[in-house]
């Protein structure tokens, strides 16, 4: 193996379809109009020296190394900023150019530390490379630069250093922060030889606005910005392309290794989801894979009150199988079930649902999508005929108006958020529907045209009001609706939304949003050109989550914003493989490919290949499993890669259900909160130890490649097979590619998918089959999957969760950039430097009424339970609403959330909880006990190390 080297063409590719011809160093070259001379030369393998240029950034032309001579033109223009012209004759290497380049390099080197042998970038330094390329052998000005060589080093960031003495002021880091990330956290301060890169107002990196995405580190051509791992481990010697295991964006990375030690994760430029960009989690927060808290050996115990006992895999698997058999013999075939993981691969998830259906003999299988995006599957399948988003991420580059509802892309899906911000800076308009003023509402060079700060729980009312304006003001795209949708359904829907009770003026009393703003937003979306809708958990995690998804689908159809580039309905999926876990048949009523378990023909195809008779009755959903466990009819559960005790709502009820189980098998990388109730613990693998595929939020299937051997001895799919065999059900696979081959045979949308195709193409988006052999970037072109698009009536029904004298405030929840989901991974990395605890955002008015000051401990209480956390006084949320995250188990935000859920899918109503907030003396007793236990566990682990 060797390092995967990507060609840097110096400047971005031109998108022009017109070709022009020119001659470079005697060779004829044909390239798209608008291509730079530098890139054109690189296309034929002629690398022009450069320092400030890279194809991730727009041309800048400051380093003066890439000068060329053009026949018939005076001077020596920069090749990076000079576009090609038809008939142009270019020379890139003449005596004149050689002398100029050497002179430029002399100036750089005269003011640069010459510690190359001990520099962390030795062998990976473009300045070093270019000195060799231009043939620099001496420096007439000496080597005692009195400016940069005496400057200090900023080591405040936990992941990288900033060594000012090595800065050549190429501006690449500043431009990367602006053009790629869109944070504008860096600038150049000073003038002439006194100029240097400055984070913020000459602040340390950690306290500046830098979000540690790594774009500046990646862009830096020297060791000015360099990862600390390069100091500690050394230069990598081989790399493997794989896929990030955090959010649903699905960024591709080069895992750069030294032996079996991971040195760094470098965003892969050919990754079609991220296009060479990353966030702080994917780029840096991989240390959890080798964290001392990892459990690497199986453990069992007869009772949750007993200590764990390390055993062999054989003993643990046999014990789990015998317990499941005993339970089924005593309580019946449907008394056991399992939960698949949205963090595991498609292949691993497929095997778990196959085990439950084939070995357990029932359909009691569910996944965490139940508690996040199950309304997406239901709502989009009803209206469009599919259970996934309609576009690829590239599509946003063609959007003219973007409507974001219930999503916070800069925190939850930051790489897509950066691409979105870039499009907004180019002129696209933005509408945000969210109770909270998220960063995307207003950030550097980005400001929403409308922020509809609605009252939590009123999504259906606001979207229907938008549709009311579209219909009553004649903004419907009637040609699209007549051609593509059921006209009778549309007319019924149009009459429904046109009812005066759905007008912005009428619904203002529910939503709290000014009618004029709703009308303005509706007009902008309907008439502003290509309109794209992106939504998240702020839509789905409501009692009317499915209704809101259908309302969004209606709005897109009515305005004709479906079926082409730049438009669409796009759910921003939370976890890395939540889309894949749904695709793989993880719901109790569906087999892989979203086909109902009651369909005889579908069931027969699986039975023929699986060699087993399948139950035709849908199984239990996750909430039903807990209910049945408390009732005494559900007694055994296999949970792979999910911490349901921390992530699911109404923690008291979940813990009661888990406590009632006679056998709980948890397969994970850490002893999570759910494992407190487990009888068998099976060690899991991180994504770095896996072979398989993930499917991201744009339906993109991508390879996950093993970069190191499983530290626990077995891959997750192998453990599932061992359990199946112990239960008497044979599974026989030699490699995950064989599992994908089986998926392709059984799933119509995957019939063209294979590891060979994925390796050749990099990735594909389903459907990938005979009709679309290279995948489907954009859905519903020319027609909907279901045939005619179906408009659904979306009556607003207020949630049963109401405020009152006892609980006068509404709690809503969300995520923060540096942490991920329940924090099991990111809390075990240096990301805690940015978010060491969950806090409660409260409006100044509400805080003043309660005598709460910024930083005070407060008690957060609902009818379900109470917890304590620190208050942060903020105007980002309106009066009457409070907000918190759920990344730290010591906070246990879901102690407070209730058991209300979506009417169609049981997706919990996390986003609307009536609460009271009051001053507190500090953490509650259970929190103190938890923290004490955590400290003791860490102390024991450290002592063992």
């Amino acid at each position: 193996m060797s390092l995967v080297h990507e060609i840097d063409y110096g400047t971005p590719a031109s998108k022009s379809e017109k070709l022009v011809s020119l001659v470079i160093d005697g060779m004829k070259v044909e390239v798209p109009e608008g291509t730079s001379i530098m890139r054109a030369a690189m296309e034929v393998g002629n690398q022009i020296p450069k320092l400030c240029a890279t194809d991730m950034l727009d041309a800048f032309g400051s380093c003066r190394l890439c000068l060329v001579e053009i026949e018939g033109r005076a001077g020596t223009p920069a090749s990076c900023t000079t576009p090609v012209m038809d008939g142009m004759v270019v020379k890139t290497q003449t005596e004149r150019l050689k002398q100029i380049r050497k002179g430029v390099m002399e100036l750089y080197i005269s003011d640069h530390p010459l510690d190359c042998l001990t520099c962390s970038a030795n062998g990976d330094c473009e300045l070093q490379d270019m000195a060799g390329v231009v043939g620099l052998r001496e420096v007439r000005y000496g080597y005692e630069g009195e400016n940069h060589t005496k400057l200090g080093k900023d080591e405040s960031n936990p992941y990288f250093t900033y060594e000012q003495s090595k800065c050549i002021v190429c501006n690449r880091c500043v431009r990367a922060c602006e053009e790629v990330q869109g944070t504008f956290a860096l600038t150049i301060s000073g003038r002439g030889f006194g100029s240097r890169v400055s984070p913020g107002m000459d602040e340390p990196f950690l306290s500046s606005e830098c979000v540690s995405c790594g774009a500046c580190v990646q862009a830096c051509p020297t060791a000015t910005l360099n990862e600390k791992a390069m100091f500690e481990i050394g230069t990598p010697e081989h790399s493997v392309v794989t896929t990030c295991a955090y959010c649903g964006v699905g960024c591709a990375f080069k895992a750069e290794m030294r032996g079996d030690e991971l040195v760094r994760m470098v965003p892969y430029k050919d990754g079609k989801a991220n296009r060479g960009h990353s966030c702080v989690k994917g780029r840096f927060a991989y240390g959890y894979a080798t964290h001392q808290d990892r459990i690497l050996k199986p453990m069992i115990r007869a009772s949750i009150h007993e200590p764990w006992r390390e055993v062999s895999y054989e003993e643990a698997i046999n014990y789990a199988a015998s317990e499941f058999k005993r339970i089924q013999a005593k309580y019946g075939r449907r008394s056991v079930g399992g939960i698949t993981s949205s963090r595991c691969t498609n292949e691993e998830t497929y095997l778990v649902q196959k085990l439950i259906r084939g070995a357990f003999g029932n359909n009691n299988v569910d996944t965490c999508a139940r508690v996040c995006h199950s309304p997406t599957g239901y709502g989009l399948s009803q209206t469009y005929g599919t259970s996934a988003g309609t576009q690829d991420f590239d599509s946003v580059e063609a959007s003219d108006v973007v409507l974001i509802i219930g999503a916070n892309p800069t925190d939850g899906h930051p790489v897509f958020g950066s691409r979105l911000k870039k499009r907004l800076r180019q002129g696209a308009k933005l509408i945000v529907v969210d109770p909270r003023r998220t960063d995307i509402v207003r950030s550097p060079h980005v400001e929403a045209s409308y922020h509809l700060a609605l009252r939590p729980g009123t999504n259906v009312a606001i979207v229907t009001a938008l549709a009311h304006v579209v219909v009553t003001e004649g903004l419907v795209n009637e040609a699209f609706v007549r051609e593509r949708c059921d006209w009778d359904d549309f007319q019924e829907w149009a009459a429904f939304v046109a009812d005066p009770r759905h007008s912005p003026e009428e619904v203002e009393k529910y939503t709290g949003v000014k009618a004029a703003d709703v009308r303005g937003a509706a007009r902008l979306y309907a008439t502003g050109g290509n309109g794209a809708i992106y939504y998240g958990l702020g839509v789905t995690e409501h009692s009317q989550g499915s209704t809101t998804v259908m309302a969004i689908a209606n709005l897109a159809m009515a305005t004709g914003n479906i079926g082409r580039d730049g438009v669409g309905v796009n759910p921003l999926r939370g976890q890395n493989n939540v889309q894949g876990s749904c695709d793989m048949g993880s719901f109790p009523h569906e087999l892989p490919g979203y086909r109902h378990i009651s369909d005889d023909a579908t069931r027969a195809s699986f039975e023929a290949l699986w060699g087993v008779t399948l139950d035709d009755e849908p199984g239990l959903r996750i909430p039903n499993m807990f209910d049945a466990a408390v009732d005494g009819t559900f007694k055994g559960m296999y949970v792979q890669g999910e911490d349901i005790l921390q992530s699911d709502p109404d923690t008291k009820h979940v813990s009661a259900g888990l406590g009632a189980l006679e056998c709980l098998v948890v397969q994970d990388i850490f002893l999570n909160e759910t494992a407190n109730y487990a009888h068998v613990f099976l060690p899991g693998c991180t994504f770095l130890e896996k072979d398989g595929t993930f499917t991201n939020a744009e339906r993109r299937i991508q390879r996950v490649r093993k970069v190191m051997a499983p530290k626990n001895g077995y891959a997750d799919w192998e453990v599932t097979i061992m359990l199946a065999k112990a239960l008497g059900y044979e599974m026989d696979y030699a490699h995950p590619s064989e599992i994908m081959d089986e998926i392709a045979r059984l799933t119509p949308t995957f019939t063209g998918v294979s590891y060979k195709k994925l390796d050749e193409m990099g990735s594909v988006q389903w459907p990938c089959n005979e009709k679309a052999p290279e995948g489907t970037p954009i859905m519903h072109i020319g027609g909907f999957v279901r045939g005619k698009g179906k408009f659904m009536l979306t009556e607003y029904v207020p949630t049963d969760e109401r405020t009152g004298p006892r609980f006068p405030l509404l709690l809503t929840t969300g995520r923060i950039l540096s942490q991920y989901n329940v924090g099991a991974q990111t809390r075990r990395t240096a990301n805690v430097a940015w978010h060491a605890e969950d806090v409660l955002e409260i409006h100044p008015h509400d805080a003043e009424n309660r005598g709460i000051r910024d930083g005070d401990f407060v008690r957060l209480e609902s009818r379900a339970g109470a917890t304590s956390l620190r208050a942060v006084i903020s105007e980002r949320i309106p009066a009457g609403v409070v907000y918190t995250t759920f990344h730290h188990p010591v906070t246990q935000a879901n102690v407070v959330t209730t058991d209300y859920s979506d009417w169609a899918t049981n997706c919990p109503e996390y986003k609307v909880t009536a609460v009271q907030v009051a001053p507190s003396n500090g953490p509650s007793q259970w929190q103190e006990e938890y923290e004490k236990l955590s400290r003791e566990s860490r102390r024991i682990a450290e002592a063992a190390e």
Side-chain angles (χ1 to χ4, degrees):
M1 293 186 291
S2 60
L3 285 169
V4 176
H5 287 289
E6 298 169 278
I7 297 174
D8 188 342
Y9 290 91
T11 60
S14 168
K15 296 183 178 180
S16 174
E17 295 182 0
K18 181 181 178 182
L19 297 179
V20 297
S21 295
L22 69 156
V23 175
I24 300 178
D25 293 333
M27 293 183 289
K28 187 176 180 180
V29 184
E30 192 174 60
V31 293
E33 186 178 45
T35 301
S36 69
I37 292 175
M38 175 180 284
R39 188 178 184 100
M42 196 64 196
E43 292 280 3
V44 292
N46 190 344
Q47 183 176 8
I48 298 174
K50 66 184 190 302
L51 278 174
C52 72
T54 175
D55 57 15
M56 287 289 291
L57 305 171
D58 291 337
F60 193 61
S62 70
C63 75
R64 313 312 294 168
L65 272 186
C66 72
L67 308 180
V68 293
E69 293 181 2
I70 302 173
E71 191 174 282
R73 187 181 299 188
T76 53
S79 63
C80 63
T81 56
T82 306
V84 297
M85 294 181 65
D86 211 34
M88 180 181 276
V89 177
V90 179
K91 291 182 180 180
T92 71
Q93 190 77 350
T94 67
E95 283 303 316
R96 181 188 182 193
L97 294 172
K98 288 178 184 179
Q99 293 306 313
I100 293 174
R101 288 170 182 160
K102 280 185 180 181
V104 170
M105 282 302 302
E106 282 186 274
L107 291 172
Y108 279 121
I109 299 301
S110 70
D111 197 39
H112 193 84
L114 297 181
D115 58 350
C116 294
L117 290 179
T118 56
C119 178
S120 60
N122 188 19
D124 189 30
C125 174
E126 292 180 45
L127 183 67
Q128 190 181 63
D129 293 342
M130 290 303 107
V133 167
V134 303
L136 185 66
R137 298 295 178 262
E138 62 177 351
V139 178
R140 291 170 290 172
Y141 314 116
Y143 305 99
E144 300 299 324
E146 294 184 2
N147 179 50
H148 291 153
T149 57
K150 299 291 192 296
L151 298 176
K153 183 189 291 188
D154 177 0
E155 299 187 87
S156 62
N157 189 286
Y159 295 119
F160 59 84
T161 62
Y162 169 43
E163 195 167 354
Q164 299 179 59
S165 64
K166 295 181 178 178
C167 180
I168 60 172
V169 200
C170 65
N171 269 273
R172 274 165 58 165
C173 59
V174 177
R175 290 150 55 211
C177 190
E178 295 176 359
E179 296 175 26
V180 180
Q181 170 57 29
T183 298
F184 294 81
L186 303 179
T187 188
I188 301 293
S189 63
R191 299 178 65 185
F193 274 105
S195 60
R196 63 184 184 274
V197 173
S198 171
M201 300 297 291
D202 281 326
E203 305 163 271
F205 261 89
L206 185 61
S207 55
S208 74
E209 293 180 343
C210 169
V211 294
S212 296
C213 67
C216 61
V217 179
Q218 188 176 359
C220 182
T222 68
T224 307
L225 290 161
N226 210 2
E227 293 177 50
K228 292 181 177 179
M230 295 289 285
F231 294 89
E232 298 161 4
I233 304 172
T235 307
E237 41 81 22
H238 75 272
S239 59
V240 180
V241 176
T242 190
T243 304
C244 180
Y246 279 117
C247 78
V249 173
C251 296
F253 280 89
K254 294 184 295 181
E256 296 195 342
M257 311 290 294
R258 188 156 198 85
D260 66 348
E261 192 169 11
L262 179 58
V263 179
R264 62 185 177 185
M265 295 288 284
V266 179
Y268 188 46
K269 287 197 299 183
D270 287 340
K272 295 176 183 176
N274 59 316
R275 302 293 184 186
H277 191 34
S278 61
C279 77
V280 62
K281 295 188 288 291
R283 185 71 157 91
F284 298 116
Y286 50 79
Y288 69 89
T290 54
H291 196 275
Q292 60 190 16
D293 287 354
R294 275 196 70 177
I295 306 298
L296 301 178
K297 294 183 179 179
M299 302 185 298
I300 64 173
R301 57 184 178 179
S303 164
I304 62 173
H305 304 294
E306 296 178 1
W308 286 107
R309 179 168 61 91
E310 285 187 359
V311 296
S312 66
Y313 272 98
E314 182 180 16
E315 183 176 351
I317 293 292
N318 287 337
Y319 179 77
S322 65
E323 282 294 282
F324 284 134
K325 289 177 181 178
R326 177 188 64 79
I327 289 169
Q328 286 189 298
K330 182 177 180 179
Y331 299 101
R333 178 166 50 87
R334 293 175 179 165
S335 60
V336 298
I339 298 175
T340 71
S341 176
S342 293
R343 290 188 290 144
C344 290
T345 65
N346 286 317
E347 295 77 5
E348 290 161 349
T349 301
Y350 174 85
L351 286 193
V352 172
Q353 65 85 30
K354 180 178 179 179
L355 174 143
I356 292 165
R357 292 189 160 106
F360 288 174
N362 62 51
N363 293 306
N364 292 336
V365 58
D366 211 345
T367 185
C368 81
R370 173 68 55 208
V371 300
C372 60
H373 267 287
S374 51
T376 285
Y378 182 84
L380 293 185
S381 65
Q382 294 296 305
T383 50
Y384 297 164
T386 57
S387 299
T390 63
Q391 314 292 116
D392 60 2
F393 289 143
D394 287 347
S395 175
V396 76
E397 296 176 7
S399 298
D400 300 306
V401 179
V402 176
L403 169 60
I404 298 175
I405 175 168
N408 184 5
T410 54
D411 277 14
H413 305 82
V415 171
F416 171 73
S418 293
R419 298 186 69 179
L420 170 60
K421 286 193 293 183
K422 185 173 184 177
R423 178 64 191 132
L424 296 173
R425 293 195 302 272
Q426 292 169 344
K429 303 299 182 183
L430 175 65
I431 303 164
V432 177
V433 183
D434 200 296
R436 186 167 174 260
R437 191 181 72 238
T438 57
D439 288 340
I440 197 72
V441 172
R442 188 175 186 182
S443 58
H445 305 283
V446 169
E447 184 166 8
S449 299
Y450 295 95
H451 175 210
L452 310 183
L454 76 172
R455 182 177 173 83
T458 61
N459 287 337
V460 172
I462 203 83
V463 179
T464 304
L466 292 170
H468 174 92
V469 177
V470 169
V471 170
T472 59
E473 296 190 5
L475 305 178
V476 171
N477 187 331
E478 186 173 331
F480 178 91
V481 174
R482 284 187 178 275
E483 178 187 354
R484 300 282 304 277
C485 306
D486 187 297
W487 183 250
D488 292 337
D489 284 341
F490 166 74
Q491 289 182 304
E492 183 182 1
W493 172 81
F496 167 77
V497 299
D499 191 306
R501 65 193 175 95
H502 296 308
S503 70
E505 290 74 18
E506 281 298 308
V507 302
E508 184 174 333
K509 58 190 172 188
Y510 306 122
T511 66
V513 180
K514 293 179 180 178
D517 289 342
V518 175
R519 289 191 176 276
R523 293 164 185 155
L524 176 59
Y525 173 73
T527 65
N530 287 338
I533 301 176
Y534 292 89
Y535 70 89
L537 303 185
V539 161
T540 56
E541 291 179 343
H542 287 271
S543 59
Q544 282 199 288
S546 293
T547 311
T548 308
V549 172
M550 291 187 288
I552 289 170
N554 291 340
L555 186 63
M557 285 190 291
T559 54
N561 282 309
I562 284 289
R564 65 181 186 276
D565 210 16
V567 299
V569 173
N570 307 282
L572 293 174
R573 300 282 190 164
Q575 295 196 56
N576 56 300
N577 201 37
V578 70
Q579 180 67 60
S581 68
C582 300
D583 299 341
M584 293 299 103
S586 293
F587 288 130
H589 65 293
E590 289 176 334
L591 287 159
Y594 304 97
R595 287 163 297 160
H596 204 279
I597 191 70
S598 64
D599 182 74
D600 293 340
T602 298
R603 213 168 51 255
S605 65
F606 282 86
E607 289 174 340
L609 194 57
W610 288 0
V612 66
T613 300
L614 298 177
D615 189 351
D616 62 356
E617 288 290 328
L620 298 175
R621 297 171 173 178
I622 291 175
N624 307 136
M625 292 183 194
F626 297 142
D627 292 341
V630 171
D631 291 341
T633 59
F634 186 79
K635 290 293 184 178
M637 183 184 288
Y638 172 35
V639 180
Q640 185 187 66
E642 290 295 338
D643 190 359
I644 50 179
L645 183 60
Q646 191 180 342
S647 64
D648 283 36
D650 196 358
T651 301
K652 290 181 180 178
H653 183 60
V654 175
S655 61
L658 293 174
L661 297 175
E662 293 185 8
C663 181
L664 173 61
V665 178
V666 169
Q667 185 176 357
D668 216 308
I669 55 179
F670 302 112
L671 274 174
N672 56 29
E673 304 306 299
T674 304
N676 291 333
Y677 292 87
H679 305 87
V680 179
F681 187 89
L682 302 173
C685 287
T686 69
F687 78 109
L688 297 169
E689 301 153 287
K690 291 179 183 288
D691 271 312
T693 58
F694 292 152
T695 306
N696 75 349
E698 49 172 1
R699 297 171 282 103
R700 187 178 302 282
I701 307 162
Q702 300 181 99
R703 285 280 281 115
V704 182
R705 295 180 178 88
K706 184 165 61 177
V707 304
M708 59 180 69
K711 296 186 179 301
N712 60 325
Y714 290 98
D716 291 344
W717 63 275
E718 294 176 303
V719 174
T720 302
I721 288 173
M722 287 191 283
L723 180 56
K725 289 183 176 180
L727 288 165
Y729 183 62
E730 285 297 316
M731 292 188 190
D732 187 21
Y733 307 95
H735 188 267
S737 60
E738 297 179 2
I739 305 173
M740 178 53 74
D741 291 341
E742 181 173 307
I743 294 167
R745 286 198 294 273
L746 290 168
T747 311
T749 50
F750 275 68
T751 54
V753 179
S754 67
Y755 280 26
K756 181 181 179 183
K757 176 168 284 187
L758 294 175
D759 289 340
E760 290 173 351
M761 295 185 60
S763 63
V764 296
Q765 291 172 261
W766 67 258
C768 178
N769 46 32
E770 288 183 0
K771 293 182 180 179
E774 295 188 354
T776 310
I778 297 176
M779 297 282 283
H780 314 302
I781 296 176
F784 289 99
V785 170
R786 72 181 309 277
K788 294 287 188 178
K790 183 175 179 61
F791 283 85
M792 305 290 291
L793 303 188
T794 55
E795 190 71 60
Y796 167 59
V797 179
T799 173
D800 289 334
E801 181 71 354
R802 310 289 176 86
T803 56
R806 186 180 174 194
F807 302 114
L809 304 174
L810 285 177
L811 168 71
T812 190
T813 62
R815 294 176 177 173
I816 200 164
L817 171 64
S818 60
Q819 295 291 335
Y820 171 70
N821 206 32
V822 297
Q825 294 146 283
T826 44
R827 280 186 289 106
R828 291 176 170 89
T829 71
N831 278 30
V832 292
W834 291 281
H835 188 74
E837 61 180 348
D838 294 319
V839 297
L840 185 76
E841 289 185 15
I842 184 169
H843 190 272
H845 174 76
D846 295 324
E848 184 177 2
N849 284 345
R850 291 162 175 77
I852 296 168
R853 295 168 300 179
D854 198 65
D856 283 355
F857 260 104
V858 295
R859 176 179 171 86
L860 176 67
E861 184 178 9
S862 73
R863 67 178 180 83
T867 187
S868 294
L869 66 171
R870 292 186 193 276
V872 170
I873 297 176
S874 171
E875 292 187 348
R876 287 163 66 97
I877 41 133
V881 178
V882 292
Y883 170 87
T884 191
T885 50
F886 49 87
H887 302 304
H888 290 266
V890 71
T891 306
Q892 284 286 351
N894 284 323
V895 167
V896 178
T897 53
T898 67
D899 57 359
Y900 290 127
S901 63
D902 175 50
W903 63 271
T905 65
N906 281 135
C907 183
E909 191 168 47
Y910 291 108
K911 305 304 182 188
V912 187
T913 305
V915 297
Q916 179 59 287
V917 178
S920 170
N921 293 327
S924 62
Q925 183 178 350
W926 70 263
Q927 287 175 302
E928 290 178 346
E929 291 173 353
Y930 177 89
E931 188 61 30
K932 181 180 178 181
L933 181 63
S934 297
R935 285 197 302 268
E936 181 65 14
S937 297
R938 289 195 295 270
R939 186 191 66 78
I940 293 171
E942 288 167 4
E945 283 289 309

